[in-house]
Amino acid sequence: MRERSAALWDQRSLARPLASLALQPSTKPLLPLYDEDTQLAYLIEKGDSLVRWVDADPSSAKPLSELGSVSLPAQITGCALLPKRRLKVMSGEIARVHLVAENPGIGTGASVIPVAHVAPRRSYLDFHADLFPDTRAPLPAQTLEQWIANKDARVPRMSLDPAKMEESLASLCRTSGVQAQTASVSDSHAAAPAPAVACSAATTIGRRDKDDKAASREPSGSKPASGHVGKSSPVPKAEPTASLPGVKIASEPTDTSGAVRSGIEMAAMVEPPPERTNCFTGRRPLDKPDHARFKYLEGFMYRPTDHFTSLPELNTRFPQENDPLRVSAKFIAFSCAGIGGQVGVVRRDSPGRAPAKLARIVHGADIVSMEFDPFDGAVLATAGTDCKLQMWRIPDSPLNDESFFELEEYIHITADRVYQIRFHPCAKGVVAVLASDAGQQAIYVYHGLVLHFIVGRSDDGIHSFAWSPSGEQIALTTKKSKQVQVYDVRAQELLSKGPSMSSVRPCRIAWLGNSRLCLAGFGQGSQRELAVYNAEDLSKPVAKVAIDVGPGVLVPVVDYDCNIIYLDDRGSRLTHAFEVFDDKLIALPKFESAQPSLGMAALPKAYADIAKCELLRAWRLCSHAVESIGFRVPRKRPEFFQDDIFPDTIDCATPSIDAAAWIGGAAATPRFTQLCPQGMTRLSEAPPEIVHRRAFAANEIEQTDNTSTAIDAMLSRVDDNESDAHPNDSGSDWDD
């Protein structure tokens, strides 16, 4: 017989079970997981896709009664229960089962899928002690010698209340005599106040850097420590060979066992950063135009051979706060449907029909945000619902389903959820992460595995954020309070704030240079609006325009060399464009495609076809293709380089400052590059245009002479015709 069953036994009497549960016949084994705090048992069918939970309390009225089940879209090969201290207790999560499932449609690889068990409550503002009794602490009950001596001991229990967890664990550590380092409070999800100096380390899950790469990314000898986001924690001592500017590494006395003394005063080690000046002004100044220069802007579609077609099933449920399409100088990445968070990758120089078996990066959980490293187009960063930030290196070879993507960095952000990631525009290796922890959202700035700054912490929620081109400030928009805010990142101070859009619907933000901001969002109802703000005075917008009424999110793509804002209309076939001129928003011609847009990504201006007056080179993600589009402006003398609309632009491919220097307080010195193609002459240096003028007076005189001559000739012909008609006319009316 192949009937399966689950039974509950008393180890003191194994004659018969206390209760049993009969299940459907199958050859696949059951994997039981038991939660002693809630006395629930989880039955997972290996090789199947079903997870069920039953009441395993022997004192209940009906032991082993089935309470619920959930089905997954893939076969399960393994499972494990998450420790209680890692649960989101303030959200009513009583258990979380991590399942190893096969990836359908790929053939190889697997994914780890978390399944949360949440107890419904009317409110989650208070801690529910009836759901979360004291649980096992991560401390040993006794030593090996005590166990061999047959001494009885129980594992100490700790409170799961976020307000008492830290104190409870510290008290148990003191009582048991165990070093506090072995039971770091980083395992908790309790709310932590902002530190005086945010210089803690992120929890390291895994890292496979090569020795030569690791030496170039962080100081030699440094070791990342386990810590909670936004909270300083004791870290193992290291002997650094290099230090950051403005930071003194203080030596700590050690005890006889070599453990570092806890309670390090980080504030005493850090000097105030030097005064910074904004030196992000180095481009060749242009004469201020007295009129709108791009009113004849033209959007065009490249040839079909330049598109990427026949793409597999795309992820149409990508978060609206982020973009499902990313482009670098070498590769194009887009979010694909499938289990485990999949990203399809193609080479940008190999357009055409996509292969049936596409090269994919599997993150391990649903992806919420992805970004290319601006200084290394072969590195793609992905962030998922598992709060992990992974850096993948794409091989420089033809891509197929057997391509290997090397995992360079693997950072676990200890937070409830990650929403967005943004790389620093000037310093390599610095990334900002928008995450929420214990109901509060904030932006965490990392360099490598170390957390350095925290800005924007609030309970209002954050729609989106963006780095300023100089990398000194971060602008963000909030949800509940409907504000736009600008922060100094390294000082972690709020510089200015003001009202943003009047709706709580998604709002996207971007910088228009270092002094202006642009917001694209919703007004009253479904009225979509575009607004431009002065970054130093956010009390009211400098310019604002109502676009239309629609449900789609507007995503701005900014060209701050030409002061043009392109708006990708999600779910629509249109791409709007506006020019910022004299504190006004001037509507430019729209571009319309044949397919609705799922996302748009653009490359820096250096990759546009400057010789053909192309201002922007971009790609649009459609249902089954990635279309290549461009925006150009007609000019009278296109054979010359139009230096009046193509000033020296920022070199986005080269870091303008070292990450350590930027963290220490130094200002970025921008690097500019010229856009003039080789062999072209600048329009400002071109010879004067030769104008061919007509001699109007001479032409008029000659025309008058010709007219009189023609009249005389006509009259002479009339006289000749009359004489020919009466050759014998003698002058008499009658012929006698």
Side-chain angles (χ1 to χ4, degrees):
M1 299 296 292
R2 297 180 178 178
E3 293 183 357
R4 297 178 303 174
S5 64
L8 186 64
W9 299 78
D10 187 351
Q11 64 177 356
R12 296 166 297 184
S13 177
L14 300 177
R16 62 176 183 176
L18 300 177
S20 62
L21 174 65
L23 301 173
Q24 69 274 14
S26 177
T27 59
K28 301 169 183 176
L30 286 176
L31 303 178
L33 297 176
Y34 178 65
D35 184 1
E36 62 177 354
D37 293 340
T38 59
Q39 292 186 335
L40 294 176
Y42 297 87
L43 304 178
I44 293 93
E45 301 182 9
K46 187 175 181 180
D48 205 341
S49 60
L50 190 65
V51 179
R52 55 167 58 89
W53 52 92
V54 298
D55 185 4
D57 185 4
S59 62
S60 62
K62 293 182 179 181
L64 291 184
S65 58
E66 186 171 346
L67 303 179
S69 63
V70 63
S71 180
L72 272 68
Q75 293 183 355
I76 301 172
T77 59
C79 58
L81 267 178
L82 190 70
K84 283 285 185 176
R85 59 185 181 276
R86 298 286 295 172
L87 298 178
K88 303 176 183 179
V89 296
M90 299 306 295
S91 299
E93 186 181 28
I94 61 176
R96 189 188 305 174
V97 183
H98 285 266
L99 305 171
V100 180
E102 295 293 339
N103 280 328
I106 299 181
T108 59
S111 301
V112 177
I113 306 175
V115 177
H117 190 180
V118 179
R121 284 292 187 270
R122 185 184 299 271
S123 173
Y124 296 105
L125 297 178
D126 300 325
F127 176 72
H128 296 276
D130 57 330
L131 293 178
F132 304 100
D134 292 350
T135 188
R136 292 174 179 263
L139 299 173
Q142 57 185 353
T143 62
L144 176 62
E145 292 78 10
Q146 293 174 346
W147 180 78
I148 295 176
N150 200 19
K151 293 184 179 181
D152 295 333
R154 293 182 178 272
V155 176
R157 291 184 171 271
M158 59 178 290
S159 174
L160 289 177
D161 188 351
K164 303 177 182 179
M165 187 182 299
E166 183 178 355
E167 181 182 355
S168 174
L169 186 58
S171 177
L172 292 175
C173 292
R174 291 191 299 267
T175 303
S176 60
V178 180
Q179 292 292 337
Q181 287 82 357
T182 62
S184 176
V185 191
S186 65
D187 291 336
S188 67
H189 272 268
V197 177
C199 193
S200 61
T203 305
T204 306
I205 299 300
R207 182 167 180 164
R208 298 191 302 178
D209 286 340
K210 296 182 181 178
D211 295 339
D212 55 344
K213 296 179 181 178
S216 63
R217 282 188 175 86
E218 53 184 71
S220 60
S222 61
K223 299 180 181 179
S226 175
H228 189 276
V229 172
K231 186 175 183 62
S232 299
S233 59
V235 297
K237 184 180 179 181
E239 297 295 338
T241 58
S243 59
L244 302 181
V247 178
K248 293 181 178 179
I249 306 299
S251 60
E252 288 294 323
T254 59
D255 54 16
T256 57
S257 62
V260 182
R261 186 183 64 184
S262 61
I264 300 176
E265 296 294 337
M266 297 298 296
M269 301 180 191
V270 181
E271 295 180 349
E275 184 178 358
R276 301 187 299 270
T277 58
N278 186 1
C279 60
F280 208 75
T281 53
R283 75 175 66 202
R284 177 176 55 86
L286 297 178
D287 296 334
K288 184 177 179 180
D290 56 355
H291 61 282
R293 297 174 295 173
F294 306 103
K295 60 181 179 179
Y296 298 112
L297 180 72
E298 175 191 5
F300 65 97
M301 188 80 66
Y302 274 79
R303 296 174 300 176
T305 54
D306 294 328
H307 302 338
F308 298 85
T309 59
S310 301
L311 298 180
E313 185 178 358
L314 301 176
N315 182 12
T316 58
R317 297 186 177 182
F318 203 78
Q320 294 184 346
E321 298 88 359
N322 294 300
D323 302 313
L325 176 68
R326 287 300 179 192
V327 179
S328 73
K330 297 181 179 180
F331 302 99
I332 297 178
F334 45 87
S335 179
C336 295
I339 193 170
Q342 303 176 16
V343 178
V345 182
V346 295
R347 295 187 62 90
R348 194 174 67 87
D349 57 358
S350 301
R353 185 183 181 90
K357 295 183 178 180
L358 193 66
R360 303 194 189 198
I361 295 175
V362 180
H363 177 89
D366 291 342
I367 294 179
V368 296
S369 182
M370 58 182 182
E371 290 281 339
F372 274 107
D373 189 338
F375 309 115
D376 190 348
V379 174
L380 178 67
T382 60
T385 56
D386 54 356
C387 297
K388 295 174 184 176
L389 178 61
Q390 301 178 355
M391 306 284 186
W392 304 89
R393 177 163 292 278
I394 306 173
D396 192 10
S397 60
L399 299 177
N400 50 47
D401 59 333
E402 297 181 356
S403 297
F404 175 73
F405 299 94
E406 181 183 359
L407 184 60
E408 290 200 340
E409 287 190 17
Y410 194 1
I411 307 173
H412 184 204
I413 310 299
T414 312
D416 294 342
R417 185 176 179 183
V418 174
Y419 296 92
Q420 298 175 22
I421 56 175
R422 299 288 186 269
F423 279 98
H424 194 282
C426 301
K428 181 174 177 55
V430 179
V431 61
V433 181
L434 172 60
S436 63
D437 188 18
Q440 290 186 331
Q441 287 190 355
I443 300 172
Y444 305 93
V445 181
Y446 288 89
H447 176 225
L449 301 176
V450 182
L451 171 66
H452 290 278
F453 309 107
I454 302 176
V455 296
R457 185 189 295 273
S458 68
D459 300 329
D460 294 338
I462 299 175
H463 278 303
S464 63
F465 75 97
W467 287 95
S468 64
S470 63
E472 296 187 357
Q473 301 172 357
I474 281 182
L476 58 89
T477 58
T478 61
K479 297 179 181 179
K480 295 181 181 178
S481 59
K482 304 176 186 177
Q483 289 185 345
V484 54
Q485 302 174 356
V486 176
Y487 286 86
D488 187 318
V489 179
R490 289 169 290 189
Q492 304 179 80
E493 294 179 352
L494 177 63
L495 299 180
S496 58
K497 65 178 181 179
S500 63
M501 298 297 177
S502 57
S503 175
V504 296
R505 300 180 65 179
C507 177
R508 301 293 293 266
I509 189 171
W511 285 82
L512 191 65
N514 284 304
S515 59
R516 297 294 175 92
L517 293 168
C518 71
L519 272 69
F522 294 85
Q524 297 294 335
S526 297
Q527 184 75 38
R528 298 189 294 183
E529 299 175 344
L530 176 65
V532 175
Y533 289 80
N534 186 348
E536 298 180 356
D537 183 12
L538 299 176
S539 58
K540 63 178 181 179
V542 175
K544 191 173 184 179
V545 62
I547 300 176
D548 57 9
V549 175
V553 177
L554 297 175
V555 182
V557 177
V558 175
D559 178 3
Y560 45 79
D561 290 335
C562 299
N563 288 337
I564 298 180
I565 304 173
Y566 304 91
L567 296 177
D568 177 40
D569 193 348
R570 293 284 177 85
S572 174
R573 297 182 300 172
L574 295 177
T575 301
H576 305 267
F578 291 86
E579 180 183 358
V580 182
F581 170 72
D582 197 16
D583 291 341
K584 296 179 182 179
L585 284 169
I586 301 177
L588 302 178
K590 305 175 184 178
F591 169 71
E592 184 173 2
S593 176
Q595 299 293 331
S597 172
L598 298 178
M600 187 174 80
L603 283 176
K605 185 170 290 188
Y607 295 93
D609 193 349
I610 305 299
K612 296 182 179 179
C613 302
E614 186 180 42
L615 300 179
L616 183 73
R617 179 72 185 276
W619 284 261
R620 295 175 74 252
L621 181 63
C622 302
S623 57
H624 295 285
V626 175
E627 299 176 342
S628 179
I629 64 173
F631 292 87
R632 60 194 175 196
V633 60
R635 305 292 282 181
K636 187 176 182 181
R637 305 177 72 183
E639 65 275 12
F640 298 102
F641 170 64
Q642 312 295 316
D643 53 352
D644 58 331
I645 60 174
F646 292 109
D648 296 346
T649 188
I650 299 174
D651 185 6
C652 299
T654 305
S656 58
I657 189 173
D658 182 70
W662 180 83
I663 294 172
T669 302
R671 299 182 180 181
F672 291 89
T673 179
Q674 295 183 358
L675 297 176
C676 183
Q678 187 176 4
M680 291 192 70
T681 304
R682 295 178 179 272
L683 183 62
S684 58
E685 301 173 358
E689 184 179 8
I690 300 176
V691 180
H692 299 280
R693 299 183 179 276
R694 296 175 58 186
F696 295 101
N699 291 340
E700 290 176 357
I701 296 173
E702 184 180 358
Q703 182 178 4
T704 303
D705 295 339
N706 293 338
T707 303
S708 60
T709 304
I711 292 174
D712 295 340
M714 182 182 63
L715 294 177
S716 63
R717 286 196 299 270
V718 170
D719 295 340
D720 295 341
N721 292 336
E722 290 180 352
S723 60
D724 294 340
H726 306 282
N728 298 322
D729 189 2
S730 59
S732 174
D733 293 338
W734 300 97
D735 188 4
D736 296 336

